[in-house]
Amino acid sequence: MTPLQLFDTYERKVRAFEPLTAGRVGMYACGPTVYNFAHIGNLRTYLFEDILRRVLEFNGYEVHHVMNITDVGHLTSDADSGEDKMELGSKRTGMTAWEMADYYSEAFIADLERLNILMPDVWCKATDHIDEQIAFVEDLETKGYTYRTNDGIYFDSQKLNGYGHLARLDVEGLRQGARVQPGERRFVTDFALWKFSPPGEQRQMEWQSPWGIGFPGWHIECSAMSAKYLGDFFDIHCGGEDHIPIHHTNEIAQTEASRGTRLANFWMHGYFLQVGDAKMAKSDGEFLRLKTVIEKGFDASSYRYFCMTAHYRTQMSFSWDSLQATNTALQRLYQLAYDWGEPGEIASGMLGRFADHINDDLNIPRAIAVIWDMVKADINKADKKATLLEMDKVLGLGFADWRPQEREVPADVMALVEQREQARQSRDFTRADSLRAEVAALGFQIEDTREGPKVTG
RNA sequence: GGCUGGGUGGCAGAGUGGUCAUGCAGCGGUCUGCAACACCGUUUACGCCGGUUCGAUUCCGACCCCAGCCUCCA
C-alpha cells in the first residue's frame, strides 16, 4: 500500500503525511455559522472532511476530530447594519440569537447524520470559549501585535513577516484594490480581534473584557479553541476554499504571532459546488438543502456518492440530471452488492489498488473506478462482497445494511399480477400487457424472472 | 482592477509527454411473447493561438471564459 500523501495548501504541494505524534492525528475542521440551514454546497465540504478522516483511520491512525460552531455574530439592535448574519437570522426567524444558534446547530448535525458523516470527538461553540479568546487576545496585546480603534482591538498584520503566505496574497495589490474604506484600521489586511458594543446599545450576545463590553472577532475563536483541544501545532486544519485568503490566513497570523507556529502541519481545503452558473450563496435567500434533495426522492447516500465522484480539490457542477445519473449507478451497485450475498475473503489485489488511490491525496473517483473494475472482474461473489465492505469503511455508503425496497403490495394489485401471469401462461399477451399497464398505473412495476413475476413499488 | 485556482466526449468527472479512467445517457447485440433487469460490444474529448519536442490534452507563453478572495460565504 502506497503511503498516505496529502495536498497541503500552505506548501502548495502533495507531500507525505506523517503525524506529529506517532499513531495519532489531530484534525480541526471549521464548522458552520449557525444563522441558517446548511445548503448542499456546505455539506460537500463536510463530506470531504469525513472522507479525510476515514482515510486517516483506514491507515491506522487514531483521529482526534474537533469541529467548532460559530454562534457569535455582530448583533445590533436596529436595522442599520443589515450585513450581520446572526442579526438577520434572529429577525427572520423570530428567535433569539441563542435559540437560533441551537436550532440551526441541531439541524446541521441532523444533516451530517443523514449523510453518514462521522461525528467529531469535540464540538466547540465560540460562545463557550469567550475566556480563552480573551486570553489569546491579551497575549497578542502583550506581544505588541494589537492596536485599538474606536470600534475594537485590531491585529496589526504588518508586524508579522510573511503575512498571507497561505493564500500567496499580494499584500500591496490588496491595498491598492481595496473596495472598502479602511476606517480606523491601519491596513487592509488588519482585522478585528475584539469588537466593542456600540455605545447605548444592548446586544443579545456581549461579554465583559479588559477592553470593555463587546464580542470576539471571527478568526480568534478558531485559534483559541484549536489550541485548547489540539495544542499550538497540530496535524490538519481543514475547511472550504473560501477560507484560504481571509479566515485561515488570519488564524495563522494570530497563532504565529502568539505561539510561533503556523497552527497546522497540513492545511486542506474542499472546493465549491456550483449550481447552474452561480455558487450557492445563502444571502441570495434561495438555496438547496439536503431536505430538498430527499424530497425529490433521492437518498442522502446518493448525494454522498455524487460528491465522491469528483476530487475534493476541484469545483463540481451540480444538476438534477447529474445527481440522477450517479444515483442510478449507486442503486445498481447496492443491488449488485446485495446479490453478492455473505462476505468471503478480501481480494487483496483490488483492495490494494483502492488503497493506493485513496492514499494519493484522496483520489476517491479513481478508487470508485476500481470498484467498477471489481464488479466485472473474475472474482467470486463472496470475495467481492468482503472487499467492498472493507472499502466501504472509507466510502461510508452502507453496503452492509442496504436492502431492496420492499413495499407492501396490496392484495388487489397482487390479484392483477396473478391474472396477468395466467394470461401470459395462456399466451394472451394483449390482456397481459393491459394488466401490466393497470398495475403500473397503481404504482407498481412487474418484472418477469425465472422465479415468476417480481413486483416492485 | 489585483491576486489565487480552473477550462476534458451528450452530462458528471479522473488521468497522462506516445496503448484504457470510470459512471450515466446514446447506439448495436444476447436474453424476453414484448418489455424490464442483467450481460456483451461500441461512437464522441481534451477552450483558443503560438512555442519547446521525433511526438502535447499533458510542459511553456499570450488571449478568451469560469470560480474564489479583496464585502466576518463551505
Side-chain angles (χ1 to χ4, degrees):
Chain A
M1 183 160 110
T2 312
L4 180 59
Q5 307 236 114
L6 297 172
F7 183 84
D8 173 23
T9 306
Y10 196 91
E11 309 244 334
R12 293 292 159 98
K13 65 183 182 196
V14 175
R15 57 192 177 91
F17 176 79
E18 288 292 337
L20 300 169
T21 307
R24 278 181 59 89
V25 177
M27 171 174 157
Y28 185 94
C30 276
T33 304
V34 283
Y35 67 96
N36 209 328
F37 294 109
H39 62 235
I40 60 173
N42 297 128
L43 295 172
R44 183 188 179 202
T45 296
Y46 300 103
L47 283 165
F48 142 63
E49 288 159 358
D50 186 55
I51 293 293
L52 171 61
R53 170 173 169 179
R54 287 169 182 265
V55 168
L56 288 164
E57 289 177 348
F58 191 86
N59 279 273
Y61 298 120
E62 183 193 326
V63 180
H64 193 48
H65 181 190
V66 178
M67 188 180 287
N68 68 300
I69 288 183
T70 300
D71 54 355
V72 179
H74 297 221
L75 293 171
T76 55
S77 58
D78 57 51
D80 291 9
S81 56
E83 287 293 305
D84 181 85
K85 306 261 194 284
M86 292 295 278
E87 175 209 348
L88 282 178
S90 179
K91 205 171 274 180
R92 193 191 68 244
T93 58
M95 288 185 265
T96 67
W98 299 94
E99 288 165 347
M100 184 180 72
D102 283 346
Y103 178 77
Y104 287 123
S105 295
E106 281 172 27
F108 173 72
I109 290 168
D111 278 351
L112 299 192
E113 282 170 346
R114 271 191 278 271
L115 288 166
N116 200 25
I117 288 172
L118 299 171
M119 288 298 125
D121 304 291
V122 175
W123 286 105
C124 46
K125 297 199 291 190
T127 53
D128 285 341
H129 298 80
I130 300 298
D131 290 346
E132 286 86 348
Q133 295 177 69
I134 289 173
F136 207 107
V137 177
E138 283 184 302
D139 184 56
L140 288 171
E141 189 172 48
T142 305
K143 288 172 175 155
Y145 284 95
T146 67
Y147 61 89
R148 185 183 187 111
T149 73
N150 62 353
D151 69 349
I153 304 297
Y154 280 77
F155 185 87
D156 189 348
S157 60
Q158 289 182 292
K159 280 245 167 81
L160 201 64
N161 284 329
Y163 173 88
H165 181 260
L166 178 76
R168 308 294 189 262
L169 291 184
D170 170 20
V171 172
E172 181 53 25
L174 281 175
R175 190 186 64 76
Q176 291 176 353
R179 292 191 238 155
V180 174
Q181 291 302 316
E184 285 194 29
R185 265 192 314 176
R186 292 179 190 166
F187 202 73
V188 265
T189 52
D190 292 354
F191 54 91
L193 296 165
W194 186 265
K195 296 267 277 186
F196 306 137
S197 295
E201 278 186 18
Q202 175 69 46
R203 291 172 184 283
Q204 294 186 56
M205 289 178 159
E206 59 183 9
W207 294 267
Q208 274 295 348
S209 82
W211 313 282
I213 293 175
F215 52 94
W218 178 36
H219 315 296
I220 198 71
E221 68 179 60
C222 287
S223 285
M225 294 193 292
S226 63
K228 175 173 179 177
Y229 294 105
L230 295 168
D232 291 335
F233 188 61
F234 54 90
D235 295 288
I236 303 174
H237 191 126
C238 38
E241 59 165 319
D242 54 320
H243 284 334
I244 298 169
I246 303 288
H247 184 51
H248 288 169
T249 288
N250 290 344
E251 283 182 48
I252 289 173
Q254 293 161 346
T255 298
E256 238 168 45
S258 170
R259 314 293 157 97
T261 75
R262 55 144 132 155
L263 221 173
N265 191 206
F266 279 77
W267 285 86
M268 297 182 67
H269 298 91
Y271 281 63
F272 276 1
L273 183 77
Q274 312 262 122
V275 178
D277 294 331
K279 69 166 180 162
M280 288 236 173
K282 286 181 188 170
S283 51
D284 290 351
E286 285 299 308
F287 55 89
L288 212 42
R289 283 213 271 151
L290 185 61
K291 183 169 177 275
T292 315
V293 170
I294 291 168
E295 283 168 358
K296 288 247 187 186
F298 296 97
D299 292 336
S301 62
S302 292
Y303 183 63
R304 185 180 173 95
Y305 181 79
F306 172 82
C307 288
M308 293 195 299
T309 62
H311 188 84
Y312 75 91
R313 220 144 40 71
T314 58
Q315 291 179 353
M316 183 182 198
S317 304
F318 176 88
S319 71
W320 292 107
D321 283 349
S322 54
L323 179 64
Q324 181 59 59
T326 48
N327 180 59
T328 302
L330 177 63
Q331 298 309 319
R332 254 190 77 205
L333 200 54
Y334 276 137
Q335 184 66 54
L336 281 165
Y338 180 77
D339 293 340
W340 288 341
E342 290 301 308
E345 301 290 315
I346 290 172
S348 57
M350 284 292 170
L351 187 64
R353 285 176 54 200
F354 177 89
D356 286 347
H357 289 307
I358 62 171
N359 276 359
D360 177 19
D361 192 31
L362 318 182
N363 195 333
I364 307 301
R366 271 284 180 188
I368 287 176
V370 172
I371 292 178
W372 290 103
D373 282 350
M374 183 171 77
V375 165
K376 282 174 268 186
D378 186 21
I379 296 173
N380 75 61
K381 291 178 175 184
D383 293 356
K384 285 183 180 177
K385 182 66 164 279
T387 311
L388 183 66
L389 293 183
E390 186 65 16
M391 293 168 172
D392 200 37
K393 289 178 179 171
V394 171
L395 304 178
L397 292 167
F399 287 104
D401 302 323
W402 188 88
R403 298 286 177 276
Q405 273 197 341
E406 284 182 20
R407 196 172 140 199
E408 193 74 22
V409 182
D412 56 330
V413 173
M414 272 322 289
L416 291 171
V417 170
E418 279 162 30
Q419 285 174 41
R420 171 177 173 276
E421 189 56 19
Q422 282 172 18
R424 282 186 75 225
Q425 294 303 326
S426 51
R427 307 194 64 80
D428 182 356
F429 297 121
T430 312
R431 180 169 155 72
D433 287 350
S434 80
L435 282 164
R436 181 165 61 192
E438 250 184 87
V439 169
L442 292 167
F444 292 87
Q445 283 74 49
I446 299 175
E447 290 174 25
D448 297 319
T449 69
R450 283 189 193 80
E451 293 80 35
K454 183 180 156 197
V455 186
T456 51

